């Protein structure tokens, strides 16, 4: 669904929509949808997803795994393949995940540390590494996927 929504936002043709969908499914299969035996599964519960994330984070190769996953996410966001994420490509991801696109501009500007109007892979990796590894509740990258949810309200 998120690939189709991102494709709709960017007005991609069917061929490019299929490429995007294939990238997302590969990322899901290779990074997220493992059961307790390490086999791929079509569905995964929230509890299993959290358990898998904890197992991955405690793996001695976690930083390498994380770097590879972040680079894959960058490639999925770089819809035109030019090695940069434009404001529209970034907004398309937010739209794809049903995050209001008005949040994209703020996040984009934070990640685009040199303010040149594009997010490079280096900027993206730095931001998402901080997002994934920080325990600082005030870290500037805490909203990389949109505003955090306050579960107490």
């Amino acid at each position: 669904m998120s690939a189709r929504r991102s494709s709709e936002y960017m007005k991609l043709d069917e061929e490019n929509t299929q490429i995007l969908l294939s990238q997302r499914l590969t990322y899901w299969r290779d990074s997220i949808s493992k059961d307790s035996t390490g086999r791929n599964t079509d569905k995964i519960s929230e509890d299993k997803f959290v358990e898998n994330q904890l197992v991955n984070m405690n793996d001695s190769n976690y930083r390498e795994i994380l770097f590879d996953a972040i680079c894959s996410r960058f490639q999925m966001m770089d819809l035109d393949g030019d090695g940069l994420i434009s404001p529209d490509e970034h907004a398309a991801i937010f739209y794809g995940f049903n995050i209001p696109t008005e949040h994209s501009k703020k996040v984009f500007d934070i990640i685009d540390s040199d303010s040149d109007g594009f997010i490079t892979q280096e900027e993206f990796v730095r931001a998402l590494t901080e997002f994934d590894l920080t325990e600082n509740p005030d870290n500037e990258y805490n909203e990389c996927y949109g505003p955090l949810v306050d579960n107490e309200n």
Side-chain angles (χ1 to χ4, degrees):
M1 179 62 85
S2 69
R4 291 240 176 247
R5 286 180 53 83
S6 293
S7 175
E8 173 188 307
Y9 186 88
M10 292 297 292
K11 298 175 178 50
L12 298 179
D13 61 23
E14 187 58 30
E15 179 181 353
N16 286 313
T17 298
Q18 288 304 315
I19 290 169
L20 179 61
L21 180 58
S22 176
Q23 288 175 328
R24 298 260 179 102
L25 291 173
T26 298
Y27 178 77
W28 173 260
R29 186 192 68 237
D30 293 347
S31 302
I32 296 173
S33 66
K34 305 282 185 192
D35 66 14
S36 59
T37 66
R39 290 179 299 194
N40 290 323
T41 181
D42 290 338
K43 295 182 180 181
I44 187 168
S45 69
E46 181 180 350
D47 289 341
K48 190 59 168 168
F49 174 79
V50 170
E51 179 185 328
N52 288 354
Q53 292 299 89
L54 292 172
V55 167
N56 286 339
M57 288 179 183
N58 288 308
D59 186 306
S60 62
N61 297 319
Y62 179 68
R63 289 186 183 267
E64 182 179 328
I65 293 166
L66 177 63
F67 179 77
D68 289 344
I70 291 172
C71 288
S72 292
R73 284 184 244 169
F74 179 87
Q75 291 171 346
M76 285 187 285
M77 291 180 84
D78 178 18
L79 298 174
D80 64 8
D82 67 354
L84 301 167
I85 298 172
S86 70
D88 282 342
E89 289 170 324
H90 192 268
I93 294 300
F94 272 52
Y95 183 83
F97 286 114
N98 231 5
I99 302 167
T101 56
E102 61 265 15
H103 297 297
S104 172
K105 169 94 172 91
K106 176 185 174 193
V107 174
F108 186 92
D109 289 345
I110 291 169
I111 297 173
D112 179 20
S113 60
D114 64 4
S115 300
D116 68 352
F118 295 96
I119 297 173
T120 64
Q121 185 167 353
E122 181 181 328
E123 290 169 326
F124 188 79
V125 168
R126 181 176 44 253
L128 268 72
T129 300
E130 283 271 334
F131 174 84
D132 285 336
L133 299 179
T134 190
E135 294 182 22
N136 177 356
D138 299 319
N139 188 289
E140 69 178 329
Y141 298 115
N142 282 350
E143 294 187 29
C144 276
Y145 294 106
L148 298 177
V149 176
D150 182 357
N151 291 323
E152 294 181 30
N153 292 328

